[in-house]
Amino acid sequence: MRISDDQRRARLVAHQLDLGAAGPAPESTVEGVVDRLVALHATDAPSVYLSVLARVPELRIEDLQAAMYDRRTLVRVLAMRRTLFVVARDMVPVVHAGASAAVGRRLRARLLKELATLPMDPPVEDAEAFLAAAEEQVHDALAQHGPLTGAQLSAQAPVLRTAFLPTTTKSWDVRRSLTSPLLSLLSAEGRIVRGEPTGGWSSNRFLWRPVEDWLPGGIPEVDEAEARVRLAQVWLEAFGPATLADLQWWTGWNLGQTRDAVATLDVREVELAGLGAGVVLRSTELPTGPGLGAAAGHVALLPSLDPTAMGWKHRDWYLGPHREQLFDSAGNIGATVWWEGRIVGAWAVRTDGEVVSRLLEDVGTEGAAAVGAEAQRIGSLLGGGGVTASFPTPLYRELRG
C-alpha cells in the first residue's frame, strides 16, 4: 500500500492539529491534547502552553495551569533523547521505563566518572559515597523545606555547592556546581519533578518537588521492554504512518530496541512517498480519495519545539525547503506557520505582545488572511506579554526585531 504526502498531511491535521473542530470532546481538553500527542516538548516553557492553545481555540493559559498544578494530571519528565517533556500522569510509568530509565543510567555513569576524574572543590575522595550523600541531602531538604528552587536547594543542601573546576583555558570551561547535573540525574531517575514556575507562566525556572507530589508512592515499576512496546504503540497512533527511523529518533532507542518494540505490535508495512518502507498500525484509519480532506483550509501557528514539528526524523513531506531558515544549528525548530498540514512560514511574539509572521510561500489571499486572524487570536490569549524562545532561529531573530 502506497501512502501519499497528501494523505499523511490530512491525517496530521485531523489527528494532531484541528482538535477543537468537533466542539466539546475528550480531545478538546488539556489532557486530551496531551494524549493525542503523547508528550509536549517542555524545554521551552511557553511551548507547552502554546502547543495546546494552537489546537483548541476554547482553551486558555489558566486551563494549562490548572491541569499541571491543581489537578496535577500532567507531569514534567526528563525522557526521550534526554529532553524535557510534559506527559499525562498515567503515562509516566511507561515513559519512565521506556525512555527515562536509560537516560538516568547514562547520566549517573557520566556524573560518577566526572566526580572520580575531574578536579573538585572541595576534593572528592569516593565518588560513589559522595553521590549517595548528595542525593540524601537533596531528599532531606525537599522533605523538610520543599518545594525549592535550585538556589534554595543549594542553601539547604551544601553539598550541591561542590564545584567542578576548569581543566582547560577555553572560554566555555568554567567553574560549575554540582546542582544542575545532580538535579537532572534525579529527575531522569524519577525521584524529583519540576513543579510550578517561579515567575510567570512563561518562565523556565521551576520549583523542585518530590515525585510523590504527583504520584503518591513514587513511579510504579514497569518492565522496560514492555514499556517500549507501549510507547511505540501510542507513538504510532499519534504519528503513524512513519518509518522505523522516525520512531528510533523520537524515542532515542537503538535500532534493535525499535525493531523489537514494533515487531510485537499489529502493524502493516506501507510505502511512504519519497521515503520507501514505513509502518502503520492496522487500526489506523487513513484518509482516502483525492484532495486534502481535513487539511483543506486549515491554519495553525505552532510554537518552537512543537511536538508535531519535531515528531519525525524525516520531515520533508511537511517542512519542504524551509529547514535552513526555521531550525537553529542544534536542530531545534522555531515557531512555524502551518497551512493545510505543511509548514509555510514562521512567527514570533515581540516584547510588546504583538504576534508577527512571515510567509515563505504563496498561500493565496484567503490563506494569508487566515494566518493573520490566527495570529490575532494567539496574541489575544497572551495578554499583551512577550514570549521569548530559548533557541532562536535565523528567521525568528528577524521577526523579533
Side-chain angles (χ1 to χ4, degrees):
M1 178 181 182
R2 188 178 189 278
I3 298 175
S4 69
D5 289 347
D6 279 350
Q7 286 177 289
R8 297 185 76 187
R9 288 192 285 262
R11 184 169 195 273
L12 181 154
V13 171
H15 194 81
Q16 293 201 17
L17 298 184
D18 200 14
L19 303 187
E27 60 268 22
S28 347
T29 65
V30 173
E31 291 85 353
V33 173
V34 178
D35 284 342
R36 278 294 189 103
L37 299 169
V38 186
L40 303 179
H41 277 260
T43 306
D44 232 0
S47 294
V48 175
Y49 294 83
L50 295 172
S51 289
V52 173
L53 299 180
R55 290 166 166 86
V56 183
E58 293 75 22
L59 293 177
R60 299 293 182 267
I61 288 172
E62 295 76 16
D63 297 313
L64 267 293
Q65 293 171 320
M68 287 193 286
Y69 309 125
D70 297 337
R71 297 191 296 274
R72 295 187 181 175
T73 50
L74 304 178
V75 190
R76 281 187 180 84
V77 295
L78 193 65
M80 291 73 70
R81 308 185 315 281
R82 210 183 74 184
T83 298
L84 191 62
F85 290 91
V86 164
V87 303
R89 183 174 58 203
D90 60 5
M91 275 296 293
V92 170
V94 170
V95 171
H96 178 74
S100 300
V103 171
R105 287 193 292 268
R106 289 193 292 270
L107 290 180
R108 178 168 289 274
R110 186 176 73 179
L111 184 54
L112 283 170
K113 181 179 179 180
E114 290 181 339
L115 289 170
T117 60
L118 295 180
M120 308 291 298
D121 180 21
V124 172
E125 300 297 333
D126 184 331
E128 292 273 4
F130 173 84
L131 185 54
E135 294 171 68
E136 185 175 356
Q137 280 196 23
V138 171
H139 177 272
D140 291 345
L142 287 176
Q144 296 175 29
H145 307 287
L148 300 171
T149 65
Q152 291 167 338
L153 266 171
S154 293
Q156 297 295 333
V159 70
L160 292 178
R161 298 197 291 272
T162 302
F164 298 91
L165 300 179
T167 58
T168 72
T169 57
K170 302 292 186 182
S171 60
W172 49 262
D173 190 4
V174 297
R175 181 187 178 97
R176 55 190 177 92
S177 77
L178 178 65
T179 303
S180 180
L182 180 56
L183 295 183
S184 292
L185 167 62
L186 296 179
S187 173
E189 291 184 339
R191 298 161 67 183
I192 60 175
V193 169
R194 292 167 176 84
E196 302 89 334
T198 57
W201 65 272
S202 61
S203 171
N204 278 311
R205 297 181 180 274
F206 302 97
L207 295 171
W208 289 97
R209 288 179 173 269
V211 70
E212 288 80 7
D213 287 359
W214 269 259
L215 292 112
I219 300 176
E221 187 173 345
V222 178
D223 177 80
E224 291 190 17
E226 292 177 3
R228 287 194 291 270
V229 172
R230 175 58 179 156
L231 197 53
Q233 179 183 9
V234 296
W235 185 85
L236 281 171
E237 287 172 353
F239 295 92
T243 68
L244 289 183
D246 291 326
L247 175 59
Q248 181 183 352
W249 174 85
W250 187 88
T251 56
W253 298 335
N254 61 41
L255 182 56
Q257 291 170 329
T258 306
R259 286 173 171 166
D260 289 345
V262 172
T264 309
L265 300 173
D266 186 14
V267 300
R268 53 178 169 169
E269 294 186 358
V270 295
E271 180 187 352
L272 301 178
L275 292 174
V279 293
V280 64
L281 294 172
R282 290 189 186 277
S283 58
T284 297
E285 294 184 6
L286 295 170
T288 58
L292 295 170
H298 182 267
V299 64
L301 269 61
L302 302 186
S304 60
L305 300 175
D306 184 85
T308 295
M310 294 288 287
W312 296 265
K313 178 180 181 179
H314 300 296
R315 301 169 178 143
D316 287 351
W317 59 280
Y318 63 87
L319 176 59
H322 309 308
R323 184 181 301 270
E324 185 174 337
Q325 293 171 284
L326 298 176
F327 281 80
D328 69 9
S329 59
N332 301 301
I333 195 168
T336 48
V337 177
W338 292 64
W339 174 250
E340 299 185 335
R342 58 193 179 86
I343 295 174
V344 296
W347 65 283
V349 185
R350 290 181 172 163
T351 54
D352 61 359
E354 181 187 6
V355 177
V356 293
S357 64
R358 181 179 302 173
L359 293 173
L360 301 174
E361 297 182 17
D362 182 4
V363 297
T365 303
E366 291 185 5
V371 171
E374 182 65 1
Q376 288 188 333
R377 183 186 76 83
I378 295 296
S380 70
L381 298 176
L382 304 183
V387 177
T388 302
S390 298
F391 307 97
T393 62
L395 191 47
Y396 172 86
R397 290 190 181 94
E398 291 182 28
L399 290 172
R400 279 274 294 184

